[in-house]
């Protein structure tokens, strides 16, 4: 009955069960030593009501399913009873045959273990299966032949075959009846085990010559309600006289035998005597007709010697007592059989090892579970009896678990200390069950306890700090380094994401310089770095796991920009006043070594890239002038001759020490005069004292140049923005577009901070990992193109930087910047701030000769 008793067939079953309980006089609920005990008749149909466990145990019926309320049984055992989780009613799951479940035992009990979780609780319930009168008595044969000598005296008794009834108590064989006849009567005897058997009593002398055969009907009746019966026909044949019957030494024998006795063991030697001689005194032994089949399978009787031998295997746990019914009969005519009973008591032997059953396992267990957390419920069973069936249970050493006994033969496995998954991720707990027999038998079972992870470990980087060296003029979006962190946790608690902490580099957000892949930790440069503008900076990288709550760690990444020879020398003296050639006057009277002037240049690079050397590239007469390679001083090599030209053209080259080297040239026109006029030459009063303050004229010159270029650049951007807004406004008005299509709002006040506040939304193509550069078309200062460079991680970025597009130096070819037809590449000159680390030697000063 899966839904409880109701109307229809289920209601009839319920009323039938209730009526039986009332008639039996047994209470439905009987507590016994802390247990619940119920009684239910056998042979009830599936779904018959037994008890309301939810109410009797005081459990909340609505939580039975969530708490996994269930009956725990051994593996392979039949589930006769079941619990309805909707209402807590214990009902019959399958038909119970008391004779099959308990055989011939007087009281038939079903022991139930009820388990409920959250919290873990164990209940024990006993259900007594009550016998109903569902079997009628039966005889081994439907017809018996009884031979009786005509010389039998009055009152002679003849034992008859007993009827068998599998029922017990009042439902078993209660009495016998004999059909009316004129020669025999029936007496019912009671054995020591309260079983009944019948004897035929001769009431009138027999005369074979008058009647050779007598037929009577024997009826066996049980005491059940309603009464059941079985019959057998007895054929009494009257024989000539064999007036002595065999006799046993005693009517009943008792013997003890260990259950592990081998086949062929002598159980008992029976002895019966017959006073007759010859065949009438020769006795044969055999099992009586109503000996059970299992007895005939276990034992064997030697017909002539009377030895009872063991034939099968005994099992104390199945049956501790065997009852043998033996008959002795002589070989003479009209032989009469006599009977005796042999009781074989089995002695228990420790032949069953304990059985370990894991009733409920709660695994995995959190590593922060407090001591005392229940991991599993373990039941042990030993089928032996006495000390052989007493079991002790223990766990192996060096594990943080112990066993606690809650009921007899039931244990709970609990933790004894805090667990740490990072140290031991799983435990193989060995459980040993040992009985008290001699020798003791034991069973070992291994339980694997998995420890689940808790986010209790913060990530840690492989290095305390990182130092990264990046060559300047790097490609935007290129990978510059990779950071890596580890987390000893597992699964999502060990999944790390990387990010860059907020900060500023030279007033700009750190996110405009570098980005990081949140999954791999690869870092990318978002812009092309310039050693002359920034030489080093540092950022904070954070690694955070995905646990709850999340844990994180930081590491400092130092980025050093390496110099590249990307700046050609800039000649600062002499500077041509008019035209493209500097002029200077040289007196004809100048002697060898005369200092005409000094060619001065600066290089914004550093180190070898800023080390300058001078050489005379072209000259009208190479024998007349020379240039000092280190200082750039231009001196005469010899005195002037009459045939020397009055105008000497010189080209001086300045080359740096980079690889490849960059250079610059200056053209000089030297006029040989007789006398020097009082005029300034193109070799200006440019001088660089040893002190840093002496570079103020050069610094001023460079600042003015850079300021002019910056102003021109800003003006070009503003003009470009205005032209684009004007074009978009006209396009929207001409096409009738809605206001959202216009990207510039007319009438908005221009701001000098327009570049800082404007954002360019650039969506890189799918699957691209390199930096995405967007060329901004439109007007602007000639020789410039503008690129927005985005990192490979972002689909949206702020306007990062504007980079001038200069032609390749030293005949370098750039396949990505080939000019298209109809376009002209214009080159603009730009002077970077000179490298202040380099101070020209004190001897390198321009000279101005006055006469």
């Amino acid at each position: 009955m899966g839904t409880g008793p109701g109307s229809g067939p289920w209601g009839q079953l319920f009323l039938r069960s209730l009526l039986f309980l009332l008639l039996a006089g047994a209470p439905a609920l009987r507590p016994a030593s802390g247990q619940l005990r119920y009684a239910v008749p056998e042979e009830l149909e599936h779904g018959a009501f037994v008890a309301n466990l939810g109410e009797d145990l005081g459990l909340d019926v609505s939580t039975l399913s969530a708490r996994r309320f269930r009956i725990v049984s051994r593996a392979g055992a039949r589930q006769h009873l079941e619990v309805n989780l909707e209402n807590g009613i214990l009902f019959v799951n399958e038909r119970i045959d008391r004779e099959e479940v308990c055989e011939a035992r007087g009281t038939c009990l079903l022991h139930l273990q009820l388990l409920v979780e959250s919290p873990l609780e164990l209940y024990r319930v006993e259900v007594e299966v009550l016998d109903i009168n569902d079997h009628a008595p039966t005889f081994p044969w439907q017809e018996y032949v009884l031979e009786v000598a005509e010389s039998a005296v009055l009152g002679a008794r003849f034992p008859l075959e007993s009827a068998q009834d599998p029922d017990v108590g009042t439902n078993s064989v209660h009495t016998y009846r004999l059909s009316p006849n004129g020669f025999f009567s029936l007496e019912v005897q009671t054995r020591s085990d309260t079983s009944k058997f019948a004897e035929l009593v001769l009431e009138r002398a027999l005369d074979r010559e008058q009647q050779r055969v007598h037929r009577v009907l024997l009826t066996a009746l049980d005491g059940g309600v309603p009464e059941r019966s079985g019959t057998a026909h007895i054929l009494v044949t009257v024989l000539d006289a064999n007036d002595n019957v065999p006799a046993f030494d005693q009517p009943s024998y008792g013997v003890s035998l260990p259950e592990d006795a081998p086949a062929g063991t002598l159980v008992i030697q029976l002895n019966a005597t017959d006073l007759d001689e010859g065949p009438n005194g020769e006795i044969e032994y055999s099992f009586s007709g109503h000996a059970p089949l299992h007895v005939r399978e276990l034992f064997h009787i030697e017909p002539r010697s009377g030895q009872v031998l063991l034939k099968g295997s005994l099992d104390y746990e199945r049956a501790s007592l065997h009852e043998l019914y033996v008959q002795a009969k002589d070989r003479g005519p009209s032989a009469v059989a006599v009977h005796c009973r042999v009781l074989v008591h089995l002695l228990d032997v420790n032949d069953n090892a304990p059985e370990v059953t894991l009733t409920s396992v709660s695994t995995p267990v959190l590593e922060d579970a407090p001591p005392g957390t229940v991991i599993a419920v373990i039941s042990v069973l030993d089928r032996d009896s006495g000390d052989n069936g007493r079991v002790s249970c223990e766990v192996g050493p060096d594990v943080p678990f112990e066993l606690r006994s809650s009921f007899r033969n039931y244990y709970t496995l609990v933790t004894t200390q805090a667990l740490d998954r990072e140290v031991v991720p799983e435990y193989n707990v060995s459980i040993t069950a040992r009985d008290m027999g001699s020798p003791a038998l034991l069973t070992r079972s291994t339980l694997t306890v998995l420890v689940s992870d808790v986010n209790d470990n913060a990530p840690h980087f492989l290095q305390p700090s990182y130092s990264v060296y990046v060559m300047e003029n790097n490609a935007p979006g290129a990978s510059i380094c990779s950071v890596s962190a580890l987390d000893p946790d597992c699964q999502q608690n060990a999944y790390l994401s990387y990010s860059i902490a907020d900060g500023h580099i030279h007033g700009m957000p750190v996110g405009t310089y570098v980005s990081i892949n949140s999954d791999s930790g690869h870092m990318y440069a978002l812009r092309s770095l310039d050693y002359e503008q920034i030489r080093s900076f540092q950022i904070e990288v954070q690694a955070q796991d995905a646990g709850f709550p999340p844990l994180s760690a930081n590491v400092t990444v130092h980025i050093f920009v390496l110099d590249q020879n990307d700046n050609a020398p800039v000649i600062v003296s002499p500077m041509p006043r008019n035209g493209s050639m500097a002029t200077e006057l040289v007196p004809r009277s100048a002697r060898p070594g005369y200092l005409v002037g000094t060619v001065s240049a600066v290089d914004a690079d550093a180190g070898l890239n800023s080390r300058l050397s001078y050489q005379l590239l072209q000259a009208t007469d190479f024998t007349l002038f020379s240039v000092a390679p280190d200082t750039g001083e231009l001196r005469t090599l010899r005195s002037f001759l009459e045939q020397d030209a009055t105008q000497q053209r010189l080209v001086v080259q300045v080359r740096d020490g980079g690889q490849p080297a960059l250079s610059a040239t200056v053209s000089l026109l030297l006029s040989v005069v007789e006398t020097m006029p009082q005029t300034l030459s193109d070799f200006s009063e440019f001088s660089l004292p040893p002190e840093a303050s002496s570079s103020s004229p050069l610094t001023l010159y460079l600042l003015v140049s850079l300021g002019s270029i910056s102003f021109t650049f800003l003006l070009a951007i503003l003009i470009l923005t205005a032209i684009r807004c004007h074009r978009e406004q006209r396009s929207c008005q001409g096409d009738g577009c809605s206001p959202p299509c216009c990207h510039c709002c007319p009438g908005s006040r221009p701001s000098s901070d327009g570049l800082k506040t404007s954002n360019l939304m650039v969506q890189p193509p799918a699957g691209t990992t390199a930096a995405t550069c967007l060329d901004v078309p439109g007007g602007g200062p000639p020789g410039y193109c503008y690129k927005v460079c985005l990192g490979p991680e972002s689909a949206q970025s702020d306007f990062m930087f504007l980079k001038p597009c200069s032609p390749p130096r030293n005949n370098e070819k750039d396949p990505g910047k080939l000019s298209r037809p109809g376009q002209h590449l214009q080159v603009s000159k730009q002077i970077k701030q000179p490298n202040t680390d380099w101070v020209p030697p004190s001897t390198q000063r321009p000279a101005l000769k006055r006469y």
Side-chain angles (χ1 to χ4, degrees), residues 220-543:
L221 302 172
D222 60 23
V225 177
E227 185 180 64
R228 293 177 180 269
S229 62
T231 59
H233 294 277
I234 300 177
L235 182 63
V236 180
T237 302
V238 181
L239 302 176
D240 285 336
N242 180 12
D243 53 355
N244 291 290
V245 296
F248 284 100
D249 296 339
Q250 55 192 61
S252 180
Y253 297 88
V255 63
S256 297
L257 191 67
E259 63 171 326
D260 60 348
T265 300
L266 176 64
V267 179
I268 192 173
Q269 173 69 58
L270 298 178
N271 185 33
T273 58
D274 192 326
L275 299 179
D276 293 328
E277 294 182 355
N280 294 333
E282 296 178 1
I283 301 175
E284 290 184 349
Y285 301 88
S286 64
F287 285 109
S288 63
H290 57 272
L293 178 62
H294 71 275
V295 171
R296 298 174 184 266
E297 293 175 348
L298 291 177
F299 301 94
H300 168 70
I301 299 178
E302 288 292 335
R304 302 303 297 271
S305 64
Q307 290 182 342
V308 179
L309 303 176
L310 182 62
K311 185 171 67 171
S313 299
L314 302 176
D315 190 352
Y316 178 88
E317 288 70 37
R318 183 175 181 84
S320 60
L321 174 66
H322 295 281
E323 191 172 5
L324 285 65
Y325 293 95
V326 182
Q327 68 179 12
K329 184 177 181 182
D330 61 29
R331 302 181 64 184
S334 304
V336 177
V338 294
H339 300 77
C340 74
R341 184 177 64 168
V342 179
L343 298 179
V344 180
H345 299 272
L346 298 186
L347 302 178
D348 185 37
V349 176
N350 191 22
D351 58 345
N352 291 282
E355 299 176 7
V356 179
T357 303
L358 301 177
T359 302
S360 178
V361 180
S362 299
T363 184
V365 58
L366 292 175
E367 62 176 322
D368 61 347
T373 301
V374 177
I375 305 301
V377 176
I378 301 168
S379 63
V380 293
L381 173 67
D382 195 318
R383 300 180 182 277
D384 295 321
S385 61
D387 289 340
N388 296 332
R390 294 175 55 192
V391 180
S392 63
C393 203
E394 60 185 12
V395 297
D398 303 327
V399 292
F401 305 98
E402 67 177 2
L403 290 175
R404 296 178 181 175
S405 178
S406 54
F407 292 99
R408 182 175 179 268
N409 292 339
Y410 276 85
Y411 299 86
T412 56
L413 182 67
V414 299
T415 59
T416 58
Q417 64 187 41
L419 307 177
D420 191 346
R421 190 205 65 83
E422 288 71 36
V423 177
V424 182
E426 69 177 36
Y427 293 89
N428 291 322
V429 183
S430 177
I431 302 171
T432 303
R434 180 182 287 102
D435 60 26
M436 303 298 178
S438 180
L441 299 179
L442 59 86
T443 299
R444 286 190 176 92
S445 179
T446 301
L447 171 63
T448 300
V449 179
L450 301 178
V451 183
S452 62
D453 186 48
V454 174
N455 192 25
D456 56 348
N457 291 279
H460 66 276
F461 285 90
L462 299 182
Q463 300 180 21
S465 65
Y466 290 83
S467 295
V468 182
Y469 298 90
V470 182
M471 187 68 69
E472 67 170 333
N473 299 322
N474 58 292
S479 176
I480 59 175
C481 71
S482 176
V483 297
S484 180
L486 297 177
D487 193 321
D489 294 323
C490 67
Q491 296 178 355
Q492 68 175 10
N493 296 330
Y495 177 79
L496 301 181
S497 60
Y498 301 89
S499 61
I500 297 177
D502 295 335
H504 291 79
I505 301 175
H506 288 197
M508 295 292 290
V510 67
T512 64
Y513 279 82
V514 292
S515 66
I516 190 170
N517 188 307
S518 60
D519 295 326
S520 64
H522 291 289
M523 297 180 63
Y524 304 90
L526 296 181
R527 61 171 63 188
S528 181
L529 301 177
D530 192 346
Y531 175 83
E532 287 72 36
Q533 293 182 4
I534 182 172
R535 298 191 177 184
S536 66
F537 58 92
Q538 65 181 28
I539 59 176
E540 290 288 331
V541 177
Q542 182 185 73

Side-chain angles (χ1 to χ4, degrees), residues 1-18 40 44-52 80-95:
M1 180 165 55
T3 58
S7 60
W10 306 119
Q12 295 177 4
L13 285 173
F14 173 74
L15 294 176
R16 177 184 174 188
S17 302
L18 183 62
V40 60
L44 291 182
E45 297 294 335
H46 170 77
F49 175 85
V50 177
N52 192 336
H80 295 288
L81 302 175
E82 191 55 83
V83 178
N84 188 334
L85 297 182
E86 296 181 359
N87 50 28
I89 290 179
L90 181 67
F91 62 91
V92 176
N93 186 46
E94 63 177 24
R95 187 180 65 85

Side-chain angles (χ1 to χ4, degrees), residues 25-226:
L29 176 63
R30 292 174 290 180
S33 64
Q35 302 181 97
L36 296 178
R37 184 166 181 175
Y38 302 94
V40 60
E42 63 172 330
E43 302 294 340
L44 291 182
E45 297 294 335
H46 170 77
F49 175 85
V50 177
N52 192 336
L53 290 179
E55 179 179 346
D56 296 341
L57 297 176
L59 300 175
D60 186 358
V61 177
S62 61
T63 63
L64 294 181
S65 179
R67 296 183 64 186
R68 299 184 62 197
F69 184 57
R70 62 190 183 277
I71 297 176
V72 179
S73 59
R74 295 193 307 273
R78 299 178 63 178
Q79 195 75 14
H80 295 288
L81 302 175
E82 191 55 83
V83 178
N84 188 334
L85 297 182
E86 296 181 359
N87 50 28
I89 290 179
L90 181 67
F91 62 91
V92 176
N93 186 46
E94 63 177 24
R95 187 180 65 85
I96 305 175
D97 187 351
R98 182 190 180 282
E99 289 73 30
E100 178 184 350
V101 174
C102 300
E103 297 183 353
R105 284 180 289 179
T107 302
C108 182
L109 295 177
L110 296 179
H111 300 277
L112 305 180
Q113 283 78 32
L114 304 177
L115 187 68
V116 62
E117 299 180 0
S118 300
L120 194 63
E121 296 178 347
L122 186 67
Y123 302 96
R124 302 186 68 177
V125 175
E126 290 183 351
V127 178
E128 181 181 356
V129 181
L130 301 178
D131 183 48
I132 63 174
N133 192 23
D134 56 341
H135 294 87
T138 58
F139 288 93
W141 295 282
Q142 294 297 317
E143 185 176 84
Y144 294 93
V145 176
L146 180 63
E147 295 178 347
V148 180
E150 62 178 337
S151 60
V153 297
L154 297 179
R157 297 175 179 269
F158 305 96
L160 301 177
E161 297 289 345
S162 299
Q164 301 296 319
D165 193 331
D167 296 327
V168 296
T170 57
N171 296 326
S172 62
V173 176
H174 179 64
T175 188
Y176 293 89
R177 293 178 185 173
L178 190 66
S179 60
N181 63 91
F183 291 89
F184 300 95
S185 65
L186 192 68
E187 287 191 8
V188 179
Q189 303 292 336
T190 302
R191 299 188 180 94
S192 59
D193 59 353
T194 70
S195 61
K196 308 288 187 179
F197 67 94
E199 291 181 341
L200 199 63
V201 180
L202 183 61
E203 299 290 345
R204 180 179 171 186
L206 299 176
D207 188 351
R208 182 177 177 277
E209 288 71 25
Q210 293 183 358
Q211 186 175 355
R212 294 185 177 183
V213 176
H214 299 269
R215 298 180 180 273
V216 293
L217 181 64
L218 180 63
T219 302
L221 302 172
D222 60 23
V225 177

Side-chain angles (χ1 to χ4, degrees), residues 806 808 812-818:
S806 59
E812 294 176 355
K813 294 182 179 181
D814 188 355
K817 299 182 179 179
L818 296 178

